Every structure is written in structure tokens, then in C-alpha cells.
PDB file of all heavy atoms in Angstrom:
ATOM      1  N   LEU A   1       0.836  -1.197   0.003  1.00  0.00           N
ATOM      2  CA  LEU A   1      -0.005  -0.010  -0.016  1.00  0.00           C
ATOM      3  C   LEU A   1       0.857   1.256   0.003  1.00  0.00           C
ATOM      4  O   LEU A   1       0.544   2.255  -0.716  1.00  0.00           O
ATOM      5  CB  LEU A   1      -0.948   0.005   1.197  1.00  0.00           C
ATOM      6  CG  LEU A   1      -2.057  -1.016   1.120  1.00  0.00           C
ATOM      7  CD1 LEU A   1      -2.843  -1.027   2.471  1.00  0.00           C
ATOM      8  CD2 LEU A   1      -3.011  -0.764  -0.024  1.00  0.00           C
ATOM      9  N   LEU A   2       1.930   1.234   0.764  1.00  0.00           N
ATOM     10  CA  LEU A   2       2.837   2.416   0.758  1.00  0.00           C
ATOM     11  C   LEU A   2       3.485   2.608  -0.588  1.00  0.00           C
ATOM     12  O   LEU A   2       3.567   3.686  -1.076  1.00  0.00           O
ATOM     13  CB  LEU A   2       3.902   2.200   1.858  1.00  0.00           C
ATOM     14  CG  LEU A   2       3.419   2.345   3.288  1.00  0.00           C
ATOM     15  CD1 LEU A   2       4.489   1.854   4.241  1.00  0.00           C
ATOM     16  CD2 LEU A   2       3.050   3.807   3.609  1.00  0.00           C
ATOM     17  N   GLY A   3       3.946   1.510  -1.195  1.00  0.00           N
ATOM     18  CA  GLY A   3       4.552   1.573  -2.513  1.00  0.00           C
ATOM     19  C   GLY A   3       3.541   2.036  -3.540  1.00  0.00           C
ATOM     20  O   GLY A   3       3.867   2.810  -4.439  1.00  0.00           O
ATOM     21  N   ALA A   4       2.301   1.577  -3.428  1.00  0.00           N
ATOM     22  CA  ALA A   4       1.280   1.958  -4.394  1.00  0.00           C
ATOM     23  C   ALA A   4       0.967   3.435  -4.300  1.00  0.00           C
ATOM     24  O   ALA A   4       0.778   4.151  -5.297  1.00  0.00           O
ATOM     25  CB  ALA A   4       0.014   1.111  -4.183  1.00  0.00           C
ATOM     26  N   ALA A   5       0.933   3.950  -3.041  1.00  0.00           N
ATOM     27  CA  ALA A   5       0.651   5.369  -2.870  1.00  0.00           C
ATOM     28  C   ALA A   5       1.744   6.240  -3.516  1.00  0.00           C
ATOM     29  O   ALA A   5       1.482   7.238  -4.184  1.00  0.00           O
ATOM     30  CB  ALA A   5       0.546   5.729  -1.400  1.00  0.00           C
ATOM     31  N   LEU A   6       2.978   5.825  -3.322  1.00  0.00           N
ATOM     32  CA  LEU A   6       4.103   6.558  -3.947  1.00  0.00           C
ATOM     33  C   LEU A   6       4.083   6.436  -5.417  1.00  0.00           C
ATOM     34  O   LEU A   6       4.332   7.420  -6.150  1.00  0.00           O
ATOM     35  CB  LEU A   6       5.429   6.037  -3.382  1.00  0.00           C
ATOM     36  CG  LEU A   6       5.686   6.395  -1.902  1.00  0.00           C
ATOM     37  CD1 LEU A   6       6.844   5.573  -1.362  1.00  0.00           C
ATOM     38  CD2 LEU A   6       5.905   7.850  -1.742  1.00  0.00           C
ATOM     39  N   ALA A   7       3.748   5.271  -5.948  1.00  0.00           N
ATOM     40  CA  ALA A   7       3.735   5.071  -7.385  1.00  0.00           C
ATOM     41  C   ALA A   7       2.590   5.828  -8.064  1.00  0.00           C
ATOM     42  O   ALA A   7       2.803   6.475  -9.122  1.00  0.00           O
ATOM     43  CB  ALA A   7       3.614   3.551  -7.717  1.00  0.00           C
ATOM     44  N   VAL A   8       1.423   5.829  -7.428  1.00  0.00           N
ATOM     45  CA  VAL A   8       0.297   6.600  -8.006  1.00  0.00           C
ATOM     46  C   VAL A   8       0.630   8.102  -8.043  1.00  0.00           C
ATOM     47  O   VAL A   8       0.284   8.764  -9.019  1.00  0.00           O
ATOM     48  CB  VAL A   8      -0.966   6.264  -7.233  1.00  0.00           C
ATOM     49  CG1 VAL A   8      -2.080   7.291  -7.513  1.00  0.00           C
ATOM     50  CG2 VAL A   8      -1.462   4.872  -7.483  1.00  0.00           C
ATOM     51  N   GLU A   9       1.227   8.598  -7.015  1.00  0.00           N
ATOM     52  CA  GLU A   9       1.581  10.014  -7.009  1.00  0.00           C
ATOM     53  C   GLU A   9       2.577  10.351  -8.115  1.00  0.00           C
ATOM     54  O   GLU A   9       2.394  11.343  -8.822  1.00  0.00           O
ATOM     55  CB  GLU A   9       2.221  10.349  -5.630  1.00  0.00           C
ATOM     56  CG  GLU A   9       2.362  11.855  -5.437  1.00  0.00           C
ATOM     57  CD  GLU A   9       3.766  12.324  -5.613  1.00  0.00           C
ATOM     58  OE1 GLU A   9       4.714  11.492  -5.617  1.00  0.00           O
ATOM     59  OE2 GLU A   9       3.977  13.540  -5.778  1.00  0.00           O
ATOM     60  N   GLN A  10       3.555   9.491  -8.343  1.00  0.00           N
ATOM     61  CA  GLN A  10       4.512   9.762  -9.394  1.00  0.00           C
ATOM     62  C   GLN A  10       3.903   9.625 -10.804  1.00  0.00           C
ATOM     63  O   GLN A  10       4.220  10.446 -11.687  1.00  0.00           O
ATOM     64  CB  GLN A  10       5.749   8.836  -9.230  1.00  0.00           C
ATOM     65  CG  GLN A  10       6.549   9.150  -8.028  1.00  0.00           C
ATOM     66  CD  GLN A  10       7.170  10.538  -8.108  1.00  0.00           C
ATOM     67  OE1 GLN A  10       7.754  10.953  -9.110  1.00  0.00           O
ATOM     68  NE2 GLN A  10       6.999  11.288  -7.058  1.00  0.00           N
ATOM     69  N   VAL A  11       3.069   8.640 -11.005  1.00  0.00           N
ATOM     70  CA  VAL A  11       2.411   8.451 -12.316  1.00  0.00           C
ATOM     71  C   VAL A  11       1.501   9.598 -12.609  1.00  0.00           C
ATOM     72  O   VAL A  11       1.442  10.098 -13.735  1.00  0.00           O
ATOM     73  CB  VAL A  11       1.691   7.089 -12.345  1.00  0.00           C
ATOM     74  CG1 VAL A  11       0.771   6.990 -13.549  1.00  0.00           C
ATOM     75  CG2 VAL A  11       2.707   5.920 -12.352  1.00  0.00           C
ATOM     76  N   THR A  12       0.687  10.025 -11.603  1.00  0.00           N
ATOM     77  CA  THR A  12      -0.179  11.163 -11.819  1.00  0.00           C
ATOM     78  C   THR A  12       0.589  12.428 -12.138  1.00  0.00           C
ATOM     79  O   THR A  12       0.209  13.194 -13.018  1.00  0.00           O
ATOM     80  CB  THR A  12      -1.059  11.361 -10.538  1.00  0.00           C
ATOM     81  OG1 THR A  12      -1.721  10.155 -10.237  1.00  0.00           O
ATOM     82  CG2 THR A  12      -2.076  12.482 -10.791  1.00  0.00           C
ATOM     83  N   ALA A  13       1.679  12.677 -11.413  1.00  0.00           N
ATOM     84  CA  ALA A  13       2.489  13.841 -11.698  1.00  0.00           C
ATOM     85  C   ALA A  13       3.087  13.774 -13.083  1.00  0.00           C
ATOM     86  O   ALA A  13       3.167  14.782 -13.781  1.00  0.00           O
ATOM     87  CB  ALA A  13       3.608  13.967 -10.654  1.00  0.00           C
ATOM     88  N   PHE A  14       3.502  12.595 -13.543  1.00  0.00           N
ATOM     89  CA  PHE A  14       4.056  12.443 -14.898  1.00  0.00           C
ATOM     90  C   PHE A  14       2.977  12.734 -15.904  1.00  0.00           C
ATOM     91  O   PHE A  14       3.246  13.399 -16.930  1.00  0.00           O
ATOM     92  CB  PHE A  14       4.614  11.030 -15.112  1.00  0.00           C
ATOM     93  CG  PHE A  14       5.026  10.738 -16.479  1.00  0.00           C
ATOM     94  CD1 PHE A  14       6.191  11.275 -16.991  1.00  0.00           C
ATOM     95  CD2 PHE A  14       4.220   9.959 -17.313  1.00  0.00           C
ATOM     96  CE1 PHE A  14       6.544  11.051 -18.311  1.00  0.00           C
ATOM     97  CE2 PHE A  14       4.594   9.700 -18.627  1.00  0.00           C
ATOM     98  CZ  PHE A  14       5.756  10.240 -19.132  1.00  0.00           C
ATOM     99  N   ILE A  15       1.752  12.221 -15.722  1.00  0.00           N
ATOM    100  CA  ILE A  15       0.668  12.472 -16.712  1.00  0.00           C
ATOM    101  C   ILE A  15       0.379  13.925 -16.803  1.00  0.00           C
ATOM    102  O   ILE A  15       0.223  14.509 -17.872  1.00  0.00           O
ATOM    103  CB  ILE A  15      -0.552  11.635 -16.312  1.00  0.00           C
ATOM    104  CG1 ILE A  15      -0.239  10.166 -16.555  1.00  0.00           C
ATOM    105  CG2 ILE A  15      -1.745  12.050 -17.116  1.00  0.00           C
ATOM    106  CD1 ILE A  15      -1.310   9.238 -16.004  1.00  0.00           C
ATOM    107  N   VAL A  16       0.275  14.600 -15.661  1.00  0.00           N
ATOM    108  CA  VAL A  16      -0.021  16.051 -15.653  1.00  0.00           C
ATOM    109  C   VAL A  16       1.070  16.818 -16.322  1.00  0.00           C
ATOM    110  O   VAL A  16       0.896  17.721 -17.083  1.00  0.00           O
ATOM    111  CB  VAL A  16      -0.314  16.536 -14.211  1.00  0.00           C
ATOM    112  CG1 VAL A  16      -0.368  18.051 -14.146  1.00  0.00           C
ATOM    113  CG2 VAL A  16      -1.596  15.936 -13.692  1.00  0.00           C
ATOM    114  N   ARG A  17       2.345  16.464 -15.943  1.00  0.00           N
ATOM    115  CA  ARG A  17       3.518  17.162 -16.526  1.00  0.00           C
ATOM    116  C   ARG A  17       3.562  16.976 -18.015  1.00  0.00           C
ATOM    117  O   ARG A  17       3.934  17.874 -18.752  1.00  0.00           O
ATOM    118  CB  ARG A  17       4.765  16.600 -15.874  1.00  0.00           C
ATOM    119  CG  ARG A  17       5.975  17.465 -16.042  1.00  0.00           C
ATOM    120  CD  ARG A  17       7.216  16.905 -15.361  1.00  0.00           C
ATOM    121  NE  ARG A  17       6.968  16.514 -13.965  1.00  0.00           N
ATOM    122  CZ  ARG A  17       7.044  15.276 -13.521  1.00  0.00           C
ATOM    123  NH1 ARG A  17       7.340  14.280 -14.308  1.00  0.00           N
ATOM    124  NH2 ARG A  17       6.788  15.001 -12.263  1.00  0.00           N
ATOM    125  N   SER A  18       3.278  15.770 -18.545  1.00  0.00           N
ATOM    126  CA  SER A  18       3.384  15.515 -19.974  1.00  0.00           C
ATOM    127  C   SER A  18       2.267  16.127 -20.746  1.00  0.00           C
ATOM    128  O   SER A  18       2.375  16.427 -21.917  1.00  0.00           O
ATOM    129  CB  SER A  18       3.435  14.042 -20.234  1.00  0.00           C
ATOM    130  OG  SER A  18       2.259  13.390 -19.859  1.00  0.00           O
ATOM    131  N   SER A  19       1.075  16.377 -20.118  1.00  0.00           N
ATOM    132  CA  SER A  19      -0.053  16.935 -20.828  1.00  0.00           C
ATOM    133  C   SER A  19      -0.014  18.445 -20.873  1.00  0.00           C
ATOM    134  O   SER A  19      -0.693  19.051 -21.705  1.00  0.00           O
ATOM    135  CB  SER A  19      -1.354  16.473 -20.193  1.00  0.00           C
ATOM    136  OG  SER A  19      -1.490  17.029 -18.918  1.00  0.00           O
ATOM    137  N   ALA A  20       0.753  19.075 -20.030  1.00  0.00           N
ATOM    138  CA  ALA A  20       0.834  20.540 -19.991  1.00  0.00           C
ATOM    139  C   ALA A  20       1.849  21.014 -21.007  1.00  0.00           C
ATOM    140  O   ALA A  20       2.837  20.368 -21.280  1.00  0.00           O
ATOM    141  CB  ALA A  20       1.247  21.002 -18.630  1.00  0.00           C
ATOM    142  N   PRO A  21       1.607  22.176 -21.593  1.00  0.00           N
ATOM    143  CA  PRO A  21       2.579  22.720 -22.561  1.00  0.00           C
ATOM    144  C   PRO A  21       3.869  23.092 -21.807  1.00  0.00           C
ATOM    145  O   PRO A  21       3.866  23.442 -20.638  1.00  0.00           O
ATOM    146  CB  PRO A  21       1.925  24.036 -23.045  1.00  0.00           C
ATOM    147  CG  PRO A  21       0.513  24.006 -22.564  1.00  0.00           C
ATOM    148  CD  PRO A  21       0.422  22.993 -21.479  1.00  0.00           C
ATOM    149  N   SER A  22       5.001  22.949 -22.506  1.00  0.00           N
ATOM    150  CA  SER A  22       6.323  23.137 -21.882  1.00  0.00           C
ATOM    151  C   SER A  22       6.594  24.598 -21.558  1.00  0.00           C
ATOM    152  O   SER A  22       7.384  24.858 -20.659  1.00  0.00           O
ATOM    153  CB  SER A  22       7.383  22.556 -22.769  1.00  0.00           C
ATOM    154  OG  SER A  22       7.396  23.200 -24.001  1.00  0.00           O
ATOM    155  N   SER A  23       6.000  25.529 -22.320  1.00  0.00           N
ATOM    156  CA  SER A  23       6.346  26.940 -22.094  1.00  0.00           C
ATOM    157  C   SER A  23       5.478  27.641 -21.029  1.00  0.00           C
ATOM    158  O   SER A  23       5.754  28.780 -20.664  1.00  0.00           O
ATOM    159  CB  SER A  23       6.163  27.687 -23.404  1.00  0.00           C
ATOM    160  OG  SER A  23       4.767  27.619 -23.798  1.00  0.00           O
ATOM    161  N   VAL A  24       4.520  26.935 -20.472  1.00  0.00           N
ATOM    162  CA  VAL A  24       3.645  27.535 -19.530  1.00  0.00           C
ATOM    163  C   VAL A  24       3.975  27.030 -18.112  1.00  0.00           C
ATOM    164  O   VAL A  24       4.213  25.837 -17.890  1.00  0.00           O
ATOM    165  CB  VAL A  24       2.127  27.174 -19.817  1.00  0.00           C
ATOM    166  CG1 VAL A  24       1.223  27.796 -18.814  1.00  0.00           C
ATOM    167  CG2 VAL A  24       1.826  27.651 -21.214  1.00  0.00           C
ATOM    168  N   ASP A  25       3.989  27.933 -17.133  1.00  0.00           N
ATOM    169  CA  ASP A  25       4.232  27.585 -15.739  1.00  0.00           C
ATOM    170  C   ASP A  25       2.885  27.645 -14.992  1.00  0.00           C
ATOM    171  O   ASP A  25       2.292  28.690 -14.892  1.00  0.00           O
ATOM    172  CB  ASP A  25       5.226  28.537 -15.161  1.00  0.00           C
ATOM    173  CG  ASP A  25       5.705  28.102 -13.788  1.00  0.00           C
ATOM    174  OD1 ASP A  25       5.654  26.855 -13.544  1.00  0.00           O
ATOM    175  OD2 ASP A  25       6.124  28.922 -12.980  1.00  0.00           O
ATOM    176  N   PHE A  26       2.448  26.495 -14.474  1.00  0.00           N
ATOM    177  CA  PHE A  26       1.250  26.391 -13.736  1.00  0.00           C
ATOM    178  C   PHE A  26       1.495  26.470 -12.271  1.00  0.00           C
ATOM    179  O   PHE A  26       2.498  26.021 -11.789  1.00  0.00           O
ATOM    180  CB  PHE A  26       0.535  25.092 -14.062  1.00  0.00           C
ATOM    181  CG  PHE A  26      -0.061  25.046 -15.438  1.00  0.00           C
ATOM    182  CD1 PHE A  26       0.667  24.482 -16.467  1.00  0.00           C
ATOM    183  CD2 PHE A  26      -1.308  25.486 -15.714  1.00  0.00           C
ATOM    184  CE1 PHE A  26       0.171  24.411 -17.747  1.00  0.00           C
ATOM    185  CE2 PHE A  26      -1.844  25.444 -16.958  1.00  0.00           C
ATOM    186  CZ  PHE A  26      -1.098  24.888 -18.008  1.00  0.00           C
TER     187      PHE A  26
END
């Protein structure tokens, strides 16, 4: 469960980071 929580956070951050334009700072 601890590993899953860490993995889900990293995967979600990667998806958000890859979907946002590179020139915009959110």
C-alpha cells in the first residue's frame, strides 16, 4: 500500500507534466 501510494503520485505527476505545454508555468 505504501509503494502503491508513492507510485500513483509519481504516475499522476508524470501524466499532468506531460499533458501541460512546456512553455507555461502552472
Side-chain angles (χ1 to χ4, degrees):
L1 290 174
L2 289 167
L6 291 168
V8 165
E9 190 258 343
Q10 290 299 310
V11 168
T12 305
F14 173 74
I15 290 170
V16 170
R17 195 178 313 115
S18 65
S19 66
S22 61
S23 62
V24 179
D25 189 25
F26 289 92

